[in-house]
Amino acid sequence: MLTTTRQGRLRTGVRTAPGSPYAAVCVAFDRGYLDDPASHVGLAHLYEHLWFLRAPADLTLEWGATHDHATVLHHVCPPDEVPVVLAALADRLADCCAPSPVAAHGIRSALRLIELERRGGQERRLSGFPRRQIARLLRADPQFEPTAVAPAGPELVELVDGFAHGVAVAVCVAGPEPGWSAGDLRRSLGGAVPGAGRPRPGPPVGGAWQFRAPEGNACAAAWILPPDPATAAAAWVLGGLIDRGRPPTGLHWLSGRVLSPRGTEPVRGGLLYALAAGLDPRRPLDLAPELLLPVLAAGADDLAAVRDTLPDSAPDPGELAALDALSLLHGSPRFEAVLAATRQVDHAALLRFVDLLAAATAAAGTDALVGR
């Protein structure tokens, strides 16, 4: 069960996750690496690190993730510690959302940590195939580095200080204890997030791109699709069918789970979907939607088996809190709505999904990045 509220630029959500041994609190800002200024790419990733330089709450495990259009901050704790964690997060939000200059030494410390991460390969999830290339296509910058180390200086201090000003913020809790509501959560945060959020532009729904990976004989295609449950459900079921069957002729492997286990990732105003495939070296760069048609030839038993397994792959409370936060920020469909829609996915629905990919490709044209 999920309850939500919206007031000004603050969105709150509370979900009961029966049986979970822990609770999760997610804070998400409506700014990600695609929103970074050209002069300081890597700003959102830097902000993620700076958030955790503030004093943590006791008994809390914390980590962050920088998304296309959101900076997502995770906090996991024992269920009875949620009020303590929320009090600590309210103080952090109050510091972030009002003029409060960040100490330059804190920025230098975070930049050093980011550089160590990059040298040690700790950003694999973002930099691996084909996530970095997709970010470059959405950014329209073939040299874009989502986790770049921004140059330090007074201008950077000013940008960090203003990162959260006027930005919509979602705070979501998922845990085993009922008793809370989204209204209770909003009141517990007090006036930590004042004012109204400014609307931020997102990518055009319907875009389509493809590229060959620098790693060798592989390519990927990406689409921005409408944010409705039926589309997300079709992508999720299709990923399961791809996993169960053999790759289409000419492909060594095919994956429909490039971005998430459910196939799509929410971006501002849409759903990002991608396919990736290993190619025969003689095959030209072409991952057209029609290649999925052999996958759809699976029998009714395979389709039913995939649908039946999806409820068993539900996200844990930490991921549910993050999905709820992104839904509140970007209007993406809620997890329950997508899961319910999977029960209606049949071969006709999957054909419509492939037609949607083909129509988006035809309408937008396809830009290719080869060897980047």
Side-chain angles (χ1 to χ4, degrees):
M1 179 179 178
L2 173 69
T3 62
T4 63
T5 68
R6 293 171 178 263
Q7 185 176 49
R9 61 192 178 108
L10 176 63
R11 292 95 168 92
T12 59
V14 173
R15 170 188 295 279
T16 302
S20 172
Y22 63 88
V25 183
C26 177
V27 177
F29 291 94
D30 188 23
R31 283 191 68 167
Y33 53 73
L34 293 182
D35 301 306
D36 288 343
S39 61
H40 288 80
V41 294
L43 178 64
H45 187 225
L46 170 61
Y47 195 83
E48 171 200 326
H49 281 266
L50 289 170
W51 174 268
F52 296 110
L53 288 182
R54 295 171 172 85
D58 292 338
L59 301 175
T60 305
L61 177 64
E62 301 183 318
W63 73 97
T66 311
H67 293 234
D68 308 76
H69 291 129
T71 301
V72 181
L73 310 159
H74 300 265
H75 314 81
V76 170
C77 64
D80 58 355
E81 290 290 318
V82 168
V84 176
V85 172
L86 287 174
L89 296 183
D91 290 339
R92 290 190 196 181
L93 284 168
D95 289 342
C96 294
C97 296
S100 176
V102 177
H105 69 82
I107 292 178
R108 289 194 296 270
S109 297
L111 289 175
R112 284 195 295 270
L113 179 58
I114 292 170
E115 182 60 32
L116 287 172
E117 282 184 343
R118 288 166 59 82
R119 290 179 182 176
Q122 297 303 307
E123 297 296 337
R124 292 189 188 94
R125 181 177 179 186
L126 186 59
S127 61
F129 173 74
R131 202 64 186 89
R132 175 181 278 133
Q133 291 91 337
I134 292 176
R136 289 173 174 175
L137 287 165
L138 294 176
R139 178 86 177 198
D141 178 358
Q143 305 303 319
F144 178 59
E145 290 291 338
T147 60
V149 178
E155 184 181 0
L156 179 59
V157 173
E158 184 177 344
L159 286 169
V160 167
D161 180 39
F163 182 88
H165 296 181
V167 174
V169 182
V171 181
C172 292
V173 176
E177 305 292 337
W180 277 73
S181 71
D184 297 329
L185 174 56
R186 177 176 53 78
R187 286 185 288 274
S188 75
L189 296 173
V193 186
R198 298 188 299 267
R200 306 185 67 84
V205 173
W209 310 268
Q210 66 176 324
F211 48 87
R212 190 182 295 277
E215 288 81 354
N217 297 317
C219 74
W223 294 264
I224 300 290
L225 302 175
D228 60 75
T231 299
W236 193 0
V237 172
L238 182 60
L241 285 176
I242 291 173
D243 291 345
R244 287 178 67 87
R246 298 182 62 182
T249 303
L251 302 183
H252 295 310
W253 54 267
L254 178 67
S255 173
R257 304 186 192 275
V258 175
L259 303 173
S260 83
R262 290 165 298 283
T264 58
E265 177 178 289
V267 293
R268 193 177 293 129
L271 294 172
L272 181 61
Y273 177 69
L275 293 170
L279 302 178
D280 184 293
R282 297 161 294 182
R283 184 186 177 88
L285 172 66
D286 183 14
L287 196 53
E290 290 75 14
L291 285 174
L292 295 171
L293 294 179
V295 176
L296 305 189
D301 289 345
D302 286 330
L303 182 54
V306 168
R307 287 195 307 252
D308 290 345
T309 63
L310 298 186
D312 298 328
S313 59
D316 61 31
E319 189 178 2
L320 280 171
L323 289 172
D324 292 338
L326 293 173
S327 177
L328 287 169
L329 288 179
H330 298 153
S332 53
R334 294 180 181 177
F335 172 77
E336 293 89 348
V338 177
L339 182 59
T342 61
R343 294 194 286 270
Q344 308 303 317
V345 175
D346 53 16
H347 280 92
L350 292 172
L351 283 170
R352 288 194 296 272
F353 181 75
V354 173
D355 287 342
L356 177 64
L357 300 183
T361 302
T366 301
D367 297 323
L369 284 182
V370 180
R372 291 177 179 171

